[in-house]
Amino acid sequence: MSWIKNRPLSVVLHAQLLVTLIVVIVIALLLDLHSAVSAILGGSVSIISSAAFAIIISHHQGYTASGTIRTALRAEAVKVILTVILLWAVFKNYENVNAFAFIGTFILTVLIHSMALFVSDNTKQR
């Protein structure tokens, strides 16, 4: 994702997308179409909010500690607000939602977002 300049966040977004696709395929094979759509929506909520977070972080300029903290707090606030709005929108507008598939996929992708701390920002291999 070229609009995201932060390598760990880019890697995490790709991982979230891959895990969402795997979960959707497994749920589609084991359950029904509404459950698979619910899983897509659950993963999408997390991916969209993580992408918004990554875009804000990627556009950070400046090297002061206060500027970095302000950017991180702004990005996290946008992510939380977007997550709440998207969760509400799905439950409000999709009456056949399978809550287990939806929330399960959402939680799994949220946990993957926290793995950005473990991804090296160094692109050179030793």
Side-chain angles (χ1 to χ4, degrees):
M1 295 184 191
S2 61
W3 36 269
I4 297 174
K5 300 170 190 161
N6 187 294
R7 183 178 177 277
L9 292 175
S10 180
V11 169
V12 165
L13 281 170
H14 283 97
Q16 285 179 315
L17 183 59
L18 179 64
V19 167
T20 298
L21 292 175
I22 291 169
V23 169
V24 167
I25 291 169
V26 169
I27 287 178
L29 293 173
L30 296 178
L31 299 175
D32 60 354
L33 179 64
H34 291 296
S35 299
V37 170
S38 298
I40 289 170
L41 293 171
S44 296
V45 166
S46 181
I47 291 168
I48 291 167
S49 61
S50 293
F53 177 89
I55 290 168
I56 292 169
I57 294 295
S58 292
H59 287 91
H60 169 71
Q61 295 179 352
Y63 298 98
T64 65
S66 63
T68 301
I69 290 172
R70 243 188 330 271
T71 299
L73 290 175
R74 187 177 324 118
E76 195 62 40
V78 167
K79 180 181 173 196
V80 168
I81 291 167
L82 196 54
T83 299
V84 169
I85 290 169
L86 291 171
L87 288 172
W88 172 81
V90 169
F91 280 115
K92 175 83 172 145
N93 296 309
Y94 186 49
E95 30 180 90
N96 293 322
V97 69
N98 177 328
F100 177 75
F102 177 73
I103 297 296
T105 307
F106 171 74
I107 289 172
L108 186 60
T109 54
V110 166
L111 290 174
I112 290 170
H113 178 80
S114 65
M115 297 303 190
L117 295 172
F118 300 110
V119 179
S120 171
D121 201 14
N122 187 1
T123 56
K124 294 182 181 179
Q125 302 261 339
R126 294 182 186 202

